[in-house]
């Protein structure tokens, strides 16, 4: 964990930035850490969640030495409350690809980010295909965690239903998507984060994820030669499997790299932070052209020096001081 001179205070700072999305002013909350002149690493959370998923990336000294890590809350998520002056309560929240990409690019513009690296997971991983297709000139590279060309079947009514305890259901719907060997404490925290979402937001995000996003016949439009694309999927993710990732990267072609993350699931940055951060450093090194060899098809704990059994045992025996 990275800290300031006072080792009880983490160096993460939180701020708000105003940006116009579809002609409407939005007050966007974000947290950041790293040098002001570092390479911007813009982090997008999963559907129905918020930027707390990235807290372990934000406090990793090795990452923040070179990268200015920025993790934001989408509108209607976390501390980014609905826009003032809009009767937003009169209609269901529904996210589509046009809104999603405009939001990401407008945040990058509002923060004056030059050649940022974008990284998102789940719906934030899928949107890398639209970003590479529509905005390849805006980013230095795109990292699509748990990314697929098509992920149908999850825009379902009981995720926002008056007879369902959606707070609990939304959280437990994530449980089976995480690797069984990821530390239980971290998996429970991931569920806890999902209990914080506003009614209807998780389902509304999944409209994009399962209905609006379908690149099966459009992968050849994705411009990964101008903007390198990393399709990075966890071994235990059954929504967008490593094989889905390989097929997506193959369909894009030149500039797209598929990587399987062994021993991890659909929420890599929060379900097993130590292992994910080690994997991420390999990908960031490739972006910085600091690797002597190409990334392997499969990254394993052994490749990155993580003793999975020891880390799990330590997490079970030691109170969380991070």
């Amino acid at each position: 964990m990275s800290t300031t001179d006072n080792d009880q205070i983490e160096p993460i700072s939180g701020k708000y930035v105003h940006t116009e999305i579809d002609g409407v002013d939005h007050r966007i909350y974000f947290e950041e850490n790293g040098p002001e002149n570092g390479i911007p690493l813009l982090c997008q959370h999963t559907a129905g969640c918020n930027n707390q998923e990235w807290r372990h990336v934000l406090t990793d000294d090795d990452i923040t030495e070179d990268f200015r890590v920025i993790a934001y809350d989408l509108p209607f998520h976390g501390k980014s409350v609905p826009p003032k002056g809009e009767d937003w309560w009169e209609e269901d929240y529904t996210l589509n690809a046009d809104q999603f990409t405009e939001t990401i690019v407008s945040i990058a513009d509002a923060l004056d980010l030059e050649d940022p690296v974008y990284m998102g997971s789940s719906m934030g991983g899928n949107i890398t295909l639209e970003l590479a297709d529509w905005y390849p000139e805006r980013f230095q590279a795109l990292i699509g965690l748990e990314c697929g060309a098509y992920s149908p079947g999850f825009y379902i009514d009981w995720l926002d239903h008056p007879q369902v305890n959606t707070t609990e259901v939304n959280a437990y719907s994530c449980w089976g998507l995480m690797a069984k060997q990821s530390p239980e404490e971290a998996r429970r925290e991931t569920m806890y984060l999902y209990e914080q979402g506003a009614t209807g937001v998780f389902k509304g995000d999944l409209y994009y994820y399962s209905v609006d996003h379908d690149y099966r016949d459009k992968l050849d439009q994705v411009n990964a030669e101008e903007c390198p694309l990393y399709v990075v999927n966890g071994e235990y993710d059954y929504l967008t499997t490593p094989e889905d990732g390989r097929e997506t990267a193959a369909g894009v072609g030149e500039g797209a790299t598929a990587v399987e993350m062994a021993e991890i699931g659909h929420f890599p940055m929060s379900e097993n932070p130590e292992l994910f951060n080690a994997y991420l450093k390999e990908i960031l090194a490739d972006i910085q052209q600091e690797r002597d060899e190409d990334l392997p098809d499969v990254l394993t704990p052994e490749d990155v020096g993580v003793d999975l059994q020891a880390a799990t045992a330590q997490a079970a025996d030691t109170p969380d001081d991070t």
Side-chain angles (χ1 to χ4, degrees), residues 64-201:
T64 58
E65 181 178 359
D66 293 327
F67 288 85
R68 177 189 173 193
V69 182
I70 302 165
Y72 56 88
D73 291 336
L74 279 182
F76 295 86
H77 298 69
K79 293 184 179 180
S80 295
V81 297
K84 184 178 178 181
E86 292 286 303
D87 295 338
W88 52 267
W89 55 88
E90 292 187 355
E91 58 184 23
D92 291 338
Y93 166 81
T94 305
L95 182 68
N96 62 45
D98 288 334
Q99 297 164 341
F100 200 0
T101 52
E102 183 184 357
T103 300
I104 294 166
V105 172
S106 68
I107 291 171
D109 290 346
L111 294 174
D112 294 323
L113 303 184
E114 184 176 349
D115 294 329
V117 175
Y118 166 88
M119 175 168 61
S121 184
S122 189
M123 74 169 188
N126 284 5
I127 199 67
T128 56
L129 300 179
E130 284 92 343
L131 289 172
D133 186 1
W134 302 342
Y135 299 97
E137 75 291 340
R138 188 62 186 87
F139 300 93
Q140 178 182 159
L142 300 163
I143 304 172
L145 305 173
E146 317 314 322
C147 173
Y150 187 48
S151 46
F154 298 95
Y155 185 63
I156 44 184
D157 287 341
W158 53 262
L159 292 175
D160 179 21
H161 194 286
Q163 294 179 305
V164 173
N165 182 344
T166 55
T167 299
E168 186 169 340
V169 166
N170 291 352
Y172 272 95
S173 68
C174 303
W175 181 255
L177 288 166
M178 293 181 278
K180 60 183 180 179
Q181 61 270 44
S182 291
E184 181 173 1
E185 183 177 55
R187 287 183 286 153
R188 294 286 180 181
E189 181 178 306
T190 300
M191 292 174 63
Y192 174 81
L193 297 179
Y194 264 86
E195 293 175 340
Q196 300 177 19
T199 301
V201 169

Side-chain angles (χ1 to χ4, degrees), residues 2 4 26 34-35 38 45 63 66-67 114 120 127 131 148 168 170 173 184 203 212 238 262 269 283 291-292 305 319:
S2 172
T4 62
H26 284 262
H45 54 75
I63 295 173
D66 293 327
F67 288 85
E114 184 176 349
I127 199 67
L131 289 172
E168 186 169 340
N170 291 352
S173 68
E184 181 173 1
K203 180 186 176 185
D212 196 47
Y238 64 80
M269 63 285 192
I283 296 165
R291 287 181 56 86
D292 294 330

Side-chain angles (χ1 to χ4, degrees), residues 278-295:
Y279 288 156
L280 175 60
K281 290 167 193 174
E282 298 298 317
I283 296 165
L284 294 177
D286 194 71
I287 292 172
Q288 294 176 281
Q289 299 182 339
E290 294 179 351
R291 287 181 56 86
D292 294 330
E293 301 177 349
D294 292 339
L295 286 165

